[in-house]
């Protein structure tokens, strides 16, 4: 039996999946969200076989970093090493989102990173592009290269594949994933990197403090939750 805290976290992982789908990041049954558990080497992760919009708390499973399902019903995603190796390498990360959003994939295919073209861009200015492989990441060694490429950044673009976005909390990583895609979409509209002008370094830091502080990030997650409920015609919960 899961403890109350684990159950609550599973509910949040499921909600994060639903929000990401509603904000346009669904891709058939691909893409996943995980959260670190307090027990060493354990994480909660969306089960394989479901679209992000279909996930309920019972479709979240407890996995070891070796991919073994310890509790919950369902299979783990084959790309679990993305999540496991990031948790292993980055103790400050509490949540990992992996999706295949169109604008970010298009931008990385041009060999470009995100620039602080829009407000959102300040969070991801200069994020690394992972180029070790464009295929699925199904082994620990490749996952470890991805985790190293991520370094201390909030996200990594995976060329010809998708994105990985991390945060201390589920709220953080989910909101960041939505903001990253908006930043990429605006940048594609603006043109090639060589033609762009972006916020100077000191304003990048200033705008992160002004707009993307912890209070706002929680508020944005609450907003996306209300937006989802409104679209589902559910009463506020
Ligand atoms: Zn993928």
């Amino acid at each position: 039996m899961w403890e109350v805290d684990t159950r609550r976290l599973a509910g949040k992982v499921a909600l994060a999946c639903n929000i990401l789908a509603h904000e346009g990041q669904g891709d058939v049954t691909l893409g996943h969200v995980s959260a670190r558990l307090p027990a060493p080497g354990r994480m909660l992760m969306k089960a394989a076989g479901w679209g992000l919009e279909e996930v309920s708390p019972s479709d979240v499973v407890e996995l070891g970093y070796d991919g073994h399902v310890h509790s919950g019903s369902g299979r783990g995603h084959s790309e679990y090493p993305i999540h496991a190796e990031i948790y292993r390498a980055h103790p400050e990360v509490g949540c990992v989102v992996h999706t295949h959003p169109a604008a970010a994939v298009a931008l990385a295919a041009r060999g470009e990173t995100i620039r602080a073209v829009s407000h959102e861009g300040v969070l991801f200015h200069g994020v690394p592009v992972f180029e070790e492989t464009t295929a699925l990441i199904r082994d620990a060694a490749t996952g470890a290269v991805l985790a190293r490429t991520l370094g201390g950044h909030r996200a990594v673009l995976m060329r010809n594949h998708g994105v990985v976005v991390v945060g201390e909390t589920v709220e953080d990583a989910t909101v960041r994933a939505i903001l990253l895609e908006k930043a990429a979409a605006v940048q594609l509209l603006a043109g090639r990197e060589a033609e762009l002008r972006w916020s100077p370094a000191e304003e990048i830091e200033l705008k992160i403090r002004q707009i993307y502080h912890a209070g706002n990030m929680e508020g944005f997650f609450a907003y996306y939750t209300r937006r989802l409920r409104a679209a589902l015609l559910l009463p506020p919960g």
Side-chain angles (χ1 to χ4, degrees):
M1 270 303 261
W2 279 353
E3 303 161 31
V4 177
D5 283 355
T6 305
R7 200 174 295 281
R8 192 174 299 135
L9 190 58
K12 203 172 277 185
V13 167
L15 175 60
C17 290
N18 301 157
I19 287 173
L20 287 164
H22 187 234
E23 299 303 326
Q25 301 212 11
D27 181 13
V28 289
T29 60
L30 306 177
H32 17 89
V33 177
S34 70
R36 184 196 292 276
L37 283 171
R42 297 288 176 90
M43 58 188 177
L44 290 180
M45 190 169 165
K46 169 203 171 293
W50 305 103
L52 291 173
E53 70 279 14
E54 299 179 300
V55 177
S56 70
S58 59
D59 305 314
V60 175
V61 291
E62 179 178 344
L63 292 184
Y65 289 178
D66 59 356
H68 181 76
V69 178
H70 287 276
S71 52
S73 55
R75 289 177 297 115
H77 275 273
S78 66
E79 284 195 307
Y80 73 84
I82 291 176
H83 302 254
E85 298 315 312
I86 287 175
Y87 292 131
R88 218 192 288 274
H90 302 291
E92 73 287 2
V93 171
C95 176
V96 177
V97 171
H98 169 59
T99 54
H100 303 155
V105 172
L107 194 68
R110 304 206 304 204
E112 295 178 10
T113 181
I114 302 281
R115 293 300 177 190
V117 169
S118 61
H119 280 339
E120 299 79 16
V122 300
L123 287 171
F124 309 105
H125 182 77
V127 291
V129 181
F130 173 78
E131 302 197 287
E132 179 86 358
T133 176
T134 67
L136 299 190
I137 297 184
R138 289 179 158 172
D139 63 89
T142 315
V145 176
L146 178 69
R148 261 201 306 282
T149 307
L150 170 69
H153 293 271
R154 298 179 178 90
V156 54
L157 307 181
M158 305 158 82
R159 185 163 63 75
N160 310 120
H161 182 168
V163 300
V164 163
V165 186
V166 300
E168 280 183 35
T169 63
V170 173
E171 288 89 338
D172 258 353
T174 305
V175 171
R176 285 175 180 177
I178 297 165
L179 298 177
L180 172 62
E181 177 61 1
K182 184 171 174 210
V186 172
Q187 190 168 326
L188 283 176
L189 279 174
R192 303 297 299 227
E193 193 173 7
E195 302 160 357
L196 302 178
R197 300 177 67 186
W198 53 77
S199 300
E202 65 278 11
E203 288 180 13
I204 289 176
E205 289 309 312
L206 176 62
K207 293 214 286 186
I208 290 173
R209 290 198 304 276
Q210 286 177 331
I211 308 171
Y212 302 110
H213 53 80
N216 263 359
M217 293 301 275
E218 275 180 34
F220 294 161
F221 187 85
Y223 163 74
Y224 286 124
T225 304
R226 293 194 301 275
R227 201 166 117 91
L228 174 66
R229 295 188 75 86
L232 296 173
L233 303 175
L234 294 173

